[in-house]
Amino acid sequence: MPIATVNPATGETLKTFDALDADGIERRLAAADAAFRDYRTTSFAERARLLEHAADLLANDQQDIARTMTTEMGKPIGAARAEAAKCVKAMRWYAANAERLLADEHPPDADVRDAGAATARVHYRPLGPVLAVMPWNFPLWQVIRFAAPALMAGNVGLLKHASNVPQTALYLQDLFRRAGYPDGCFQTLLIGSGAVEGVLRDRRVAAATLTGSEPAGRSVAAIAGDEIKKTVLELGGSDPYVVMPSADLDRAAAVAVTARAQNNGQSCIAAKRFIVHTDVYDAFAERFTAGMAALTVGDPMDESTDVGPLASEQGRSGLEELVAEAVRAGATVLCGGRRPEGLDRGWFYAPTVLADITPDMRIHQEETFGPVAALHRVADLDEAVRLANDTYFGLSSNVWTRDDEDVRRFVRDLEAGGVFVNGMTASHPALPFGGVKRSGYGRELSGHGIKEFCNATTVWQAA
């Protein structure tokens, strides 16, 4: 895949970039290694100062970088501005909280004495250069939610971004340079996927984090495992959105539209399978379908647009195949199911709701990366749980109910990294984010995320 900016709203290639050659990669690895040796010894106060400065710069750049993201991957311009603002918030949160999150831990005195020590503590130290293999769908947020905690912990970053967002990738490198970070602390590697293995196997790279597809996660995990290097993986999702009889149906249906169509439907944590109790199925389906059909599809630079194009022609073709196969197998199209009229250029697809989904359909198991919702009817809570868990993925989940016993059961039984009750799945710097099963392992964000790339060092001292 070429490293290029291709506008998904028009299909036009706007700018191409040469991939780094072997010498270019070596120079960046050497710079990261040298930077880490000094940067790891800086104080939390100094790291916070640098990160706050980067946040200030990003806040000032919000409109420009939003336009870059929209041009490269097609998200509506308002959503792109919101993504930039969210990054600023996360950077400030880690600048303010990293020292507290990584403070030394002191076992109870009785345990210290039992260990035969006069004092004992757990001290958190950075690992080194961390390779981040990042996706195009949230091209700023996915990187910042790695970079902010990693840099505050004393690590340095090497970014291999998706090949269709090179200008966003280069902006990130320049952002940290302008903020005053020492040379080599955060570098973008313009390389293809074939060059990742060599970088990850390099002895100077301490660990890796990847957000992306299941095949990409398997590859990185296998290489890192062979090298015995730490990894964090955030992969796909097929998140359930369960609606029970006691739910506020108007609110549940309205939020469901946003939960499915956010980011043009191209989000790992977007709700994808809508599992509705039979007592409220018809009422919910009517409201939800009407909401999806009312979304405005069009130019993502237009402030009135709700849904822009898919990021690639290949992505739209794959989505069309999933829908067509489901329809041939008996699924019913309640709205959409086609390319929208009047948008002949670019890779647009109409918001779609499918009913009568059966377990033998690919769309029942595979992640739908676009504005397509699968609607399911269930008889009771037990069936809802079984269907929600009937997937290889386990990223997050949504539950709509005002019954406390329902909540208890879903929290206990849903196989997911998050359970969001009467609200839409979202990430926040104070809360851990990640999944189970084939959605990956490890956690980003919060204290859990900043400790992923730290060495928890036992410090034992005799009297």
Side-chain angles (χ1 to χ4, degrees):
M1 181 177 181
I3 301 174
T5 296
V6 181
N7 188 338
T10 64
E12 180 185 5
T13 299
L14 302 178
K15 195 170 184 179
T16 59
F17 298 81
D18 292 330
L20 287 173
D21 59 16
D23 288 342
I25 294 173
E26 169 58 29
R27 286 194 298 271
R28 283 158 178 79
L29 289 173
D33 185 50
F36 175 66
R37 295 177 191 178
D38 290 331
Y39 183 70
R40 63 185 293 274
T41 66
T42 57
S43 66
F44 281 109
E46 173 62 8
R47 297 173 201 168
R49 184 190 67 79
L50 291 168
L51 191 59
E52 282 283 5
H53 191 190
D56 291 340
L57 293 171
L58 178 54
N60 290 334
D61 296 344
Q62 183 179 24
Q63 182 63 26
D64 289 341
I65 188 56
R67 292 184 66 84
T68 299
M69 287 190 285
T70 295
T71 298
E72 291 199 307
M73 55 71 58
K75 69 173 69 228
I77 187 65
R81 284 196 303 271
E83 180 173 339
K86 184 173 185 176
C87 291
V88 171
K89 178 179 180 178
M91 293 161 82
R92 297 200 196 286
W93 190 87
Y94 270 109
N97 290 284
E99 185 171 10
R100 171 182 61 84
L101 296 172
L102 294 180
D104 287 354
E105 297 175 6
H106 297 273
D109 289 343
D111 290 339
V112 172
R113 290 193 298 270
D114 191 57
T119 64
R121 58 192 170 95
V122 178
H123 179 66
Y124 289 97
R125 298 187 294 175
L127 294 181
V130 181
L131 173 65
V133 182
M134 293 288 110
W136 49 261
N137 58 336
F138 291 95
L140 204 66
W141 170 243
Q142 302 281 12
V143 178
I144 291 298
R145 76 183 191 190
F146 146 73
L151 290 168
M152 282 305 301
N155 296 297
V156 302
L158 294 163
L159 170 63
K160 189 285 181 215
H161 218 324
S163 294
N164 60 332
V165 290
Q167 294 187 67
T168 305
L170 291 170
Y171 167 82
L172 284 157
Q173 175 179 268
D174 191 54
L175 174 68
F176 291 111
R177 179 195 61 78
R178 288 188 291 140
Y181 280 86
D183 290 344
C185 274
F186 189 93
Q187 300 175 89
T188 287
L189 307 179
L190 288 185
I191 57 176
S193 57
V196 169
E197 179 172 357
V199 174
L200 184 50
R201 289 191 184 277
D202 190 280
R203 61 174 180 78
R204 291 163 292 192
V205 174
T209 180
L210 177 141
T211 298
S213 68
E214 187 181 335
R218 288 180 184 276
S219 176
V220 165
I223 296 164
D226 189 49
E227 295 290 336
I228 317 179
K229 294 181 179 180
K230 175 70 180 292
T231 54
V232 171
L233 302 181
E234 193 262 279
L235 308 178
S238 186
D239 290 4
Y241 190 101
V242 183
V243 182
M244 297 298 287
S246 64
D248 178 339
L249 285 188
D250 288 335
R251 180 67 179 153
V255 173
V257 173
T258 303
R260 179 66 286 239
Q262 62 173 316
N263 208 48
N264 305 339
Q266 300 167 124
S267 171
C268 295
I269 58 170
K272 300 182 176 75
R273 296 175 299 130
F274 296 81
I275 299 168
V276 186
H277 193 285
T278 187
D279 290 353
V280 293
Y281 178 91
D282 292 337
F284 176 85
E286 180 180 3
R287 290 167 171 81
F288 179 47
T289 302
M292 289 286 283
L295 293 171
T296 299
V297 182
D299 180 1
M301 289 294 186
D302 189 325
E303 296 286 352
S304 65
T305 293
D306 299 310
V307 178
L310 298 187
S312 69
E313 187 172 17
Q314 181 183 10
R316 183 176 66 175
S317 297
L319 191 68
E320 288 177 323
E321 290 176 11
L322 277 179
V323 172
E325 181 183 278
V327 171
R328 287 195 299 269
T332 302
V333 179
L334 300 185
C335 72
R338 55 177 173 76
R339 300 180 183 184
E341 297 178 2
L343 293 170
D344 298 328
R345 299 176 70 201
W347 302 309
F348 296 92
Y349 195 78
T352 299
V353 179
L354 300 179
D356 305 311
I357 304 298
T358 58
D360 58 313
M361 298 175 184
R362 284 173 56 212
I363 204 167
H364 176 72
Q365 284 288 350
E366 296 186 18
E367 181 176 26
T368 50
F369 227 56
V372 174
L375 198 55
H376 302 262
R377 183 195 298 264
V378 293
D380 53 31
L381 186 148
D382 289 336
E383 186 179 2
V385 170
R386 285 197 300 272
L387 185 58
N389 290 339
D390 186 26
T391 173
Y392 298 121
F393 299 109
L395 193 53
S396 190
S397 61
N398 306 261
V399 174
W400 287 79
T401 180
R402 288 181 281 201
D403 185 308
D404 290 342
E405 179 57 22
D406 285 355
V407 173
R408 187 191 70 81
R409 280 286 311 279
F410 284 121
V411 169
R412 186 192 73 181
D413 294 340
L414 288 179
E415 297 168 352
V419 179
F420 285 71
V421 181
N422 297 328
M424 187 179 83
T425 295
S427 53
H428 185 281
L431 300 173
F433 182 86
V436 296
K437 299 194 287 189
R438 293 188 185 176
S439 288
Y441 52 74
R443 290 296 180 266
E444 296 178 292
L445 302 175
S446 76
H448 296 274
I450 197 170
K451 290 175 180 174
E452 287 283 6
F453 297 117
C454 288
N455 173 5
T457 307
T458 297
V459 181
W460 183 100
Q461 188 169 348

